[in-house]
Amino acid sequence: MNKDTLYVKRKRPTDMLLLAAIYVSATLAVALLLGIILYVFVKGIRTVNWAFLTTVTSARKQTTGIAGNLLNTLYIIVITLLIATPIGVGSAIYLNEYAKPGKLVSIIEFTTETLSGIPSIIFGLFGMIFFGETLGFGYSLLTGSFTLMVLPLITRNTQEALRTVPDSYRTGALGMGSTKWHMIRTILLPSSMPGIVTGIILALGRIVGESAALLFTAGSDYKLPKFTGVFGDNLAKLAHKAMESGGTLTIELYLQMQKGQYDNAFGIGCVLIIIVLILNLLTKLAANKLRRE
């Protein structure tokens, strides 16, 4: 009787070696991640306090803080996602559901993948010349938001999410008389929403960690708007800030390292790690919730 079956497999030395290599690789990856996190936290957690998070750096007041950089990072996140998400999701829907497979679709997909691999500093140079100088936005948060290239990431993740939806959903809906757009809106998008949300959160994490492109386009200012007691004036100042220079947390981290202020730099690193961990946690929670629904 042959014992080498699907139920009783013979243990081969190569299988054991490959399994051991997988476990070793996984252990090294986890150890490297934990090592980086622990090192940054040990070096910088003593710098992080309430004053550090809620004030700005001022020689006159003798304060050191990142409140302005936190606000600038929030601006960059919101504006970039408002620009990239509709275009990215719409492009993926067109490529996956409307466009006929052929050379044009292959060229677009190849171009999208190529854009994902281009160094961000190249985008920064392009954004500075085109958005900053040609369109006249100058060094501003809006220029930085237009420059950040998260569109390929959202497009490719949305495409993969749409491809996971079984074709029977499409044919069943169309066979019952549904229009194509109604089928996409009521069946495909809800079914693929966990994957789409994951792509958006991954893009968000990339925005938070970007530095080279923003150094050329958004500048490094860290001042907070001077609010008054009038709600309309405060709203106008918040809206106008998008046209002003603003340095994000990563830009401030770079500048602090350049000045030799390593404690402040590691403190900013702690804040960035916490933000990234929160974003990853939100990714899991949102994807799981949408999958259950």
Side-chain angles (χ1 to χ4, degrees), residues 109-214:
E109 291 180 346
F110 175 76
T111 304
T112 303
E113 293 174 355
T114 303
L115 285 173
S116 301
I118 294 178
S120 60
I121 197 168
I122 303 298
F123 290 115
L125 182 62
F126 168 79
M128 180 182 68
I129 300 298
F130 182 72
F131 296 113
E133 297 183 6
T134 304
L135 298 184
F137 292 153
Y139 279 98
S140 66
L141 295 170
L142 189 62
T143 303
S145 299
F146 275 118
T147 303
L148 289 182
M149 190 52 63
V150 297
L151 186 61
L153 183 60
I154 295 176
T155 301
R156 295 300 294 165
N157 275 278
T158 303
Q159 275 189 281
E160 295 302 322
L162 290 172
R163 288 170 182 168
T164 60
V165 180
D167 288 334
S168 59
Y169 287 20
R170 297 173 174 85
T171 56
L174 295 175
M176 294 176 66
S178 174
T179 62
K180 194 160 190 176
W181 171 240
H182 186 266
M183 178 265 295
I184 292 172
R185 182 169 54 85
T186 60
I187 296 177
L188 292 190
L189 287 179
S191 300
S192 58
M193 193 55 67
I196 296 174
V197 171
T198 300
I200 293 173
I201 300 298
L202 289 174
L204 200 156
R206 184 168 178 177
I207 295 169
V208 171
E210 187 57 72
S211 58
L214 295 178

Side-chain angles (χ1 to χ4, degrees), residues 40-62:
V40 173
F41 265 80
V42 168
K43 298 284 287 185
I45 195 63
R46 60 179 178 270
T47 306
V48 180
N49 52 46
W50 184 247
F52 185 72
L53 297 174
T54 57
T55 61
V56 296
T57 301
S58 173
R60 182 173 62 86
K61 297 180 180 179
Q62 296 184 347

Side-chain angles (χ1 to χ4, degrees), residues 11 32 79 82 100 112 126 134 175 191 214 238 244 253 285:
K11 293 182 180 180
L32 181 61
I79 298 174
L82 286 176
K100 295 181 179 180
T112 303
F126 168 79
T134 304
S191 300
L214 295 178
L238 285 174
E244 298 176 353
L253 189 152
L285 293 176

Side-chain angles (χ1 to χ4, degrees), residues 9-54:
K9 282 192 174 182
R10 186 175 57 196
K11 293 182 180 180
R12 299 180 178 87
T14 54
D15 295 339
M16 300 299 294
L17 287 174
L18 288 174
L19 184 62
I22 291 172
Y23 277 107
V24 170
S25 300
T27 303
L28 288 175
V30 174
L32 181 61
L33 174 62
L34 292 177
I36 293 173
I37 292 175
L38 288 175
Y39 181 79
V40 173
F41 265 80
V42 168
K43 298 284 287 185
I45 195 63
R46 60 179 178 270
T47 306
V48 180
N49 52 46
W50 184 247
F52 185 72
L53 297 174
T54 57

Side-chain angles (χ1 to χ4, degrees), residues 8 11 41 49 61 66-67 69 82 104 138 179 204 224-225 243 252-254 256-258 269-270 281 290-291:
V8 182
K11 293 182 180 180
F41 265 80
N49 52 46
K61 297 180 180 179
I66 57 171
N69 303 109
L82 286 176
L104 179 60
T179 62
L204 200 156
L224 288 169
M243 298 301 299
E252 185 63 21
L253 189 152
Y254 165 75
Q256 291 294 331
M257 288 292 291
Q258 196 176 45
C270 289
L281 180 61
L290 292 170
R291 191 175 292 113

